[in-house]
Structures are given as structure tokens and as C-alpha cells.
Amino acid sequence: MSIYEDNIRKYDAEALTLAKTLKRLSVLRVLVFVVSAILIFILANERLLTPLLIAAPLCLFGFGLLIKRYYRIAYLKRHATFLKEINGQEVARQESRLTGFPGGQSYCKRDHAYTSDLDVFGSHSLFQLINRATTESGSMCLAEWLAAPASKEVILARQQAVKELTPKLDWRQDLQASGMHFHNPRSDYSKLLAWAEKSPHLLPHSTTCLLACTLLAVLSSVAAVTYLAHVYEANSWLYLLPLLAVLGVNNLILRKVKPVAEELLEYMHDNVKVLGGYEALIHKIASEKFQSPMLQQLQAVLSRDGYATAGEINRLRKILEVFEHRGVKGKPIGGNQLYPLLNNFWLLDIYCIILTEKWKARNRPYLQSWLTAVSEFEALSSIAGFSHANPSFTFPEITDAPYVIRFKQLGHPLLRQQSRVCNDFQLDGRGSIAMVTGSNMAGKSTFLRTVGANLVLALMGAPCCAASGQVSNMKVFSSMRTQDNLEEGVSSFYAELRRIEQLLRLIESGEAVLFLLDEMFKGTNSKDRHRGGFSLIRQLKELNAFGIISTHDLELAILAGRHHLVSNYSFNSAIQEGEMHFNYALTPELCKDFNASELMKRSGIRILSHLEESM
């Protein structure tokens, strides 16, 4: 039984206990309200002023404490439910059930060097396996790390940070659950940053604006009270005129600032909840002690220059929560109709705008670094969660020697441990090219993805699905899943040619690259495919390229091996008692069997023994 399943039972029991407590508090809350109302009514009816002045505040205070206790228990119940959900997700990942997790498809760029081919994003992807971030920026940070190799110094720093975070299971899950309280799928991180960069509207005149608004608020309040005091008199309309006059002036001012107010809400109303998430995450990060330099540096960013970062974000969130009641384009959020009335009297829009602009002026230099620090913490915590869930995975050594890949017991991280077959593999030295031959479904393409996916993990600072590893810092480039593009009128063959052209330019630039080519030139005839494949291999060898090629073309593999252009490897299958068997074991030799004819027979095709006899 895994620790995650134990946690599911623990948090399920905790949530049930809290639910019972919450139910009792609900009943007690109603009871206290009714008793308090009856007591206050009786004392007021009996005109017992002194007891009333004592009882009323006490009743209100007690009811307030009860409400506070209720919301606290409700929070804890949600937190326990989130923790149960988190552990359920860990079990699903261990069983390779990734369907319900966000795939990060928006981060997958069609012309990227490898993300489409290596299942980095999308359905059943590395992103789904690793991502445990609750903020949009945290997911973006992790996606960026998956999409580009880091420098050796950064990789080593991330490895050290992940190793420290890996055993902190309770803290990491508590961090994730804290962010889940405020998760908003409609959040727009770019709008939050864009708002921070916009120039202020009222701040340069804030003193004048606040004095004028205070004066008008006082005048409108006095005029309203005066009118209400004389509302039943015959000449009450005389007292209504000053009120209408002040409200008219207020309305003109509010119309003037209306575009500013609506622009602020347009940028921020979907991010109010997100700010609460950042605040909760910062509290958790600030309360923990860390040893690795990277974690300490990120933590220090959140308390720079004596700023209490969580407190600053809390101030902005509180202002915006009030401002949200104004509504977006005249439609109140949450149905609050009181704000427009109070706004007409007290010019709340102007106060909120000035307060947000003052906050922005004070915190603009730090906001980007705060959000970046939280995002990197979430990315590191995600990798640590991935590491904890896969204790057999190891952190590879990042060697200074160029063009090195050495793995012991290398497997694909997206396959279940029970069905995963691991192989030793190494490729050393510039100009080394491995060619993998094999029968259909024997595992050639999966092996290329295995090497590529693990190199992506290694170069982002994550552990690899291997017993040990040693890799150079290099770029990965693949051409495996080229497809037709009807919109651009591009065939799969031409799409592959574009990928090959992109690869050749990258190699000629002098950058260290591992290339992965699967079944070259699939979209053309066999003669051109054979000639083009051999020509490309020879050209790659002349460029001292470094990579792996898979093919069904045994003659091509023999020819390339004979000219010492490649080192041959293979996956083989066997037919035993009429059944096809694959062992997925990589062998350092040419493939000895091909099973296409047998597979076609199994599909009902009558295979001719001699093609000429049918002509």
C-alpha cells in the first residue's frame, strides 16, 4: 500500500470529521442568531437600556466569533478535500491514468524542435506526469523548462533544490492544496503583468482628487441626512435640491473616471482570486526553512527590502474585492447592488483607483520577480513530486565532455513500471550515429522517444527513468511525427523535408545537437527513400552529427554500416506457437527478423509466396 493511498484514507476521515463539525456550527449559528434577536427584542421592548447596551454588543461579538469559526472549519474541510484529491492524482499518475490532467497543449508549438514528437505536451505527456502547479505562471514556468535545456549551472542548482524538496511530502502537498483554494481557470497572467506596466491615471493628482472627493462625500451625506430629516414637511423639496446638485456633480465626476475604472476591472477581475493564490503560496514558502542556494534565493526574493510580500498582495486583493462589487460594464459581480448607490454618494471608484495606483507605484519594481519566484517554486515542487513518486529514477551526471549519452537501465517515464522494459544505451563522441532496425511494433520509435524524453528531463534538472546516467548539455531535435497540413497545402513528405532542412541548419550552426529521426522519407517511393536516406546519413556523418535513426529498411542499415557511417542496433521479435512475441530488448546488431508479412496474414491477407507467379 503506497503512502498516497494511506493519505487518501487519512484526509477522507479528516474531511468527514470536519463536515460533522461544520454541520453542528451551522445549527449553533442559527440558534445563536435567533436567541440573540429574541433577547435584544425583549430588552428593547421593555426599554431596559443598560442591559440592551451590554447584551447587543456581546451578542454581535459572539455571533461574529461563531461566523469566523465556521469559515475557518469550512476552509479546513476544503483543504482536507484538496489533499485527498492530490493524493488521488498521485495514484493516477503511478498507474499512468493521465487523461484528467491538463495537457498544456497551448504550450506546444508546431515548429518546436521536439515537443510534438516526444509527448512533452498533450494527451499522455510528460507535462501531465510532472505538473503540480496551481497558478498559470507556475505551469508556464514548468512548460518553459520542458521546452528548452538549461545551462549546466542551472541544472545542478535545480537538481539540488529538487533533492531537498523531494522528501518534504507534507509541505509540498500543503503548498499545492493552498493554491487550489484560489485556482481560477479563467486567470490571465499576461493581463496582470500588463496592468502593472500601464501608466497611472489619477495618481499624479491624487491629493487634489482625494480632497475634492472627501469634500463631496461629506456634502452629499449631509445633504441626504438633512433631506431625510425634513422629508415629511411641506417644503421638503427645498432640501432635495442641494442633494440633487451634489449628486449631479458626483455623477459627472464618475462618468469622467468610468473608462479608467472599467479598464482596471477588465485587466484585474479574473485575477483577484489568483492574487489570493499567490498570497497563500507565499505564506507557505516564507514559513519553511531551506538549505539549497536556489531555494534560499527564491525565498529571499519574497522578502526583499523588508517587504512583507504576502501582506502587500493581500492589500491589493482586498481593494480589488471591494472594487469588484462595482461590476464589469455595469453588471455587478455577485449581484451586489449596494455599491452603485454608495458610489454615487461617496465616489468609491476614485478611492479604489487611487489606492490601486499607489500600490502599483510602490510594488511595480518587485511584482514580476515575486511572481517569477512563486512560479519557479511551483515548478521545482512539481519536479520534486515527480521524483518522490518515482524513487527508482535517478539524477544523471551532467558531464563537461561533449556529445555523451550513457544510461543504465533506461526506460520510458510514461510507461507503467510493470510493463516498462529498460535497456542500457550509450552514444559517445561527435559524429556518432546509431541506427536502430527492427520489425513492426518491436519498439524502435518508442526507444527514440525514450532517449529523447529522458534527455529532456535531464536537461531541465529532473530525474531520469534510469538506474544511472551521464549526459552532455546539448539540444534535442526530432523528426518523427511529420503530418500533412491541409491549411498550408503541405504534404507529410514536404513537412519532413522542412524538418530535415531545419536540422541541417542547426547542426551547421555548430551547436551541440542530438537528432532523432524515425523512418526517413516515409512519403515517397522505395527507390527514392533508399537513395535519399543513404545520402542524408552520409551528409550527417560529414557534418559530424550526433544522433539516432530508426528504419525498417534493412538494406539501408547494411549499406550505412558497411560504409562505417552508423553503429547498428536492433529490436527483434519471435513467433512462438503462432503468437507474436516482443521482448523490447535492444541488441547491438542488425535486426534478424521482420514480421510485416506475418502481421498481414493475421489481418486476413493471403500473402503470395512468389510475386512473379501471380503476374
Side-chain angles (χ1 to χ4, degrees):
M1 193 68 68
S2 71
I3 189 171
Y4 304 119
E5 290 168 317
D6 289 340
N7 281 345
I8 289 172
R9 289 194 298 273
K10 180 178 78 173
Y11 293 123
D12 186 44
E14 187 176 316
L16 287 173
T17 301
L18 289 167
K20 292 176 182 177
T21 304
L22 206 59
K23 189 175 181 179
R24 288 196 298 269
L25 285 172
S26 296
V27 174
L28 185 59
R29 187 173 60 168
V30 173
L31 185 62
V32 168
F33 177 80
V34 171
V35 170
S36 298
I38 292 172
L39 178 62
I40 291 171
F41 175 78
I42 291 172
L43 293 175
N45 192 52
E46 296 294 328
R47 298 186 180 181
L48 300 172
L49 186 58
T50 301
L52 179 62
L53 292 175
I54 296 172
L58 286 176
C59 288
L60 289 173
F61 181 72
F63 187 71
L65 287 178
L66 198 58
I67 292 291
K68 186 177 180 180
R69 174 67 175 166
Y70 178 87
Y71 284 121
R72 177 60 182 167
I73 296 298
Y75 174 88
L76 292 174
K77 178 182 175 294
R78 288 196 306 273
H79 200 75
T81 303
F82 288 142
L83 287 168
K84 177 188 173 184
E85 181 182 339
I86 288 167
N87 283 276
Q89 291 171 350
E90 296 295 348
V91 172
R93 287 189 177 98
Q94 286 188 326
E95 297 174 353
S96 291
R97 292 185 285 108
L98 305 178
T99 306
F101 297 101
Q105 285 88 343
S106 60
Y107 305 124
C108 188
K109 309 303 179 186
R110 191 176 63 191
D111 294 327
H112 191 272
Y114 58 81
T115 54
S116 296
D117 290 335
L118 302 184
D119 301 307
V120 175
F121 304 112
S123 177
H124 204 76
S125 62
L126 292 176
F127 184 79
Q128 290 178 308
L129 191 64
I130 299 173
N131 182 38
R132 290 153 173 85
T134 59
T135 65
E136 181 189 6
S137 62
S139 296
M140 288 170 60
C141 178
L142 181 65
E144 289 169 4
W145 291 4
L146 281 163
S151 66
K152 179 180 178 180
E153 293 74 18
V154 172
I155 294 170
L156 295 178
R158 289 178 187 169
Q159 284 185 353
Q160 188 178 0
V162 170
K163 287 176 183 177
E164 181 177 351
L165 289 175
T166 297
K168 293 178 178 286
L169 177 64
D170 291 341
W171 182 85
R172 284 188 291 99
Q173 292 193 346
D174 196 39
L175 179 77
Q176 187 178 349
S178 297
M180 288 172 72
H181 286 276
F182 301 93
H183 178 67
N184 182 3
R186 297 181 306 166
S187 68
D188 193 335
Y189 176 67
S190 60
K191 275 191 174 183
L192 181 59
L193 295 180
W195 169 78
E197 294 303 318
K198 290 187 72 68
S199 300
H201 297 278
L202 302 183
L203 188 59
H205 316 289
S206 61
T207 304
T208 304
C209 287
L210 287 174
L211 286 173
C213 289
T214 303
L215 177 62
L216 288 168
V218 170
L219 289 175
S220 60
S221 299
V222 170
V225 171
T226 303
Y227 170 70
L228 291 173
H230 298 84
V231 69
Y232 296 112
E233 297 179 6
N235 59 347
S236 62
W237 62 272
L238 293 173
Y239 298 97
L240 181 61
L241 293 177
L243 176 60
L244 294 177
V246 179
L247 291 179
V249 173
N250 287 356
N251 189 257
L252 288 174
I253 294 172
L254 290 174
R255 284 187 182 181
K256 189 80 172 175
V257 300
K258 182 179 178 181
V260 180
E262 292 196 340
E263 180 188 65
L264 175 59
L265 280 173
E266 181 187 350
Y267 273 91
M268 297 300 291
H269 81 272
D270 279 336
N271 282 311
V272 173
K273 199 171 183 181
V274 175
L275 288 170
Y278 282 117
E279 180 189 344
L281 294 172
I282 290 169
H283 269 304
K284 294 296 178 185
I285 293 168
S287 65
E288 187 68 10
K289 290 185 178 180
F290 302 104
Q291 301 300 318
S292 71
M294 187 175 198
L295 295 177
Q296 289 180 341
Q297 289 166 10
L298 292 173
Q299 191 180 44
V301 169
L302 302 176
S303 58
R304 181 178 294 164
D305 297 336
Y307 265 68
T309 308
E312 284 295 310
I313 291 178
N314 178 264
R315 289 186 188 92
L316 177 61
R317 183 168 65 89
K318 294 298 185 185
I319 296 166
L320 292 172
E321 281 178 349
V322 172
F323 200 31
E324 269 196 320
H325 292 300
R326 178 189 187 278
V328 180
K329 295 182 178 178
K331 297 179 181 179
I333 300 170
N336 191 326
Q337 302 292 338
L338 185 60
Y339 185 96
L341 176 64
L342 297 177
N343 193 27
N344 282 325
F345 276 88
W346 296 337
L347 302 166
L348 298 181
D349 278 2
I350 293 176
Y351 288 105
C352 288
I353 292 169
I354 290 175
L355 286 173
T356 55
E357 291 186 347
K358 281 186 173 182
W359 188 96
K360 182 163 57 173
R362 188 169 64 251
N363 294 294
R364 178 187 288 165
Y366 309 112
L367 183 61
Q368 174 73 73
S369 61
W370 290 346
L371 303 188
T372 299
V374 172
S375 303
E376 292 194 13
F377 249 105
E378 282 205 292
L380 290 168
S381 183
S382 291
I383 299 172
F386 168 68
S387 177
H388 186 276
N390 298 279
S392 63
F393 289 15
T394 57
F395 291 91
E397 176 190 346
I398 309 300
T399 177
D400 290 324
Y403 299 97
V404 171
I405 296 176
R406 300 186 189 121
F407 283 112
K408 293 288 186 183
Q409 292 299 295
L410 179 70
H412 200 301
L414 287 168
L415 294 175
R416 294 184 65 178
Q417 185 176 2
Q418 296 87 333
S419 57
R420 184 189 301 144
V421 176
C422 298
N423 289 283
D424 294 349
F425 179 73
Q426 72 176 57
L427 197 63
D428 288 348
R430 187 172 185 179
S432 298
I433 300 175
M435 176 165 274
V436 183
T437 52
S439 56
N440 294 283
M441 302 188 300
K444 303 185 305 299
S445 300
T446 300
F447 178 72
L448 263 63
R449 292 191 179 94
T450 297
V451 175
N454 278 286
L455 196 58
V456 168
L457 292 174
L459 299 180
M460 72 178 291
C464 295
C465 182
S468 64
Q470 190 178 41
V471 300
S472 304
N473 197 311
M474 65 186 84
K475 290 189 173 181
V476 180
F477 188 95
S478 64
S479 178
M480 301 177 71
R481 285 176 175 155
T482 51
Q483 296 178 345
D484 297 347
N485 189 317
L486 297 178
E487 184 179 344
E488 296 182 7
V490 175
S491 68
S492 60
F493 176 65
Y494 187 67
E496 184 179 2
L497 289 180
R498 292 204 309 193
R499 293 291 288 180
I500 296 298
E501 182 182 1
Q502 191 179 349
L503 169 62
L504 292 174
R505 286 200 305 267
L506 186 60
I507 294 171
E508 288 169 352
S509 72
E511 294 190 75
V513 180
L514 169 74
F515 70 82
L516 303 167
L517 302 180
D518 185 32
E519 293 297 337
M520 298 177 294
F521 309 130
K522 297 180 284 291
T524 188
N525 64 75
S526 59
K527 184 176 180 180
D528 283 341
R529 182 170 64 246
H530 184 82
R531 181 170 54 189
F534 182 76
S535 299
L536 176 60
I537 293 169
R538 185 172 59 184
Q539 185 174 351
L540 290 170
K541 189 68 174 181
E542 290 171 354
L543 290 170
N544 277 326
F546 180 78
I548 311 174
I549 301 170
S550 74
T551 182
H552 282 98
D553 192 338
L554 187 59
E555 291 181 5
L556 176 62
I558 293 171
L559 182 62
R562 185 185 304 149
H563 285 79
H564 305 291
L565 301 179
V566 302
S567 301
N568 279 303
Y569 293 84
S570 64
F571 289 95
N572 293 278
S573 61
I575 300 174
Q576 299 174 357
E577 299 179 358
E579 294 293 328
M580 193 76 66
H581 291 275
F582 302 95
N583 60 14
Y584 305 110
L586 182 70
T587 58
E589 58 186 1
L590 282 166
C591 179
K592 296 178 180 177
D593 68 272
F594 283 81
N595 62 14
S597 295
E598 183 63 27
L599 290 173
M600 285 188 279
K601 287 179 183 178
R602 291 177 174 277
S603 298
I605 301 172
R606 294 191 295 273
I607 302 297
L608 298 173
S609 57
H610 297 287
L611 186 60
E612 292 78 5
E613 294 176 1
S614 66
M615 301 298 286

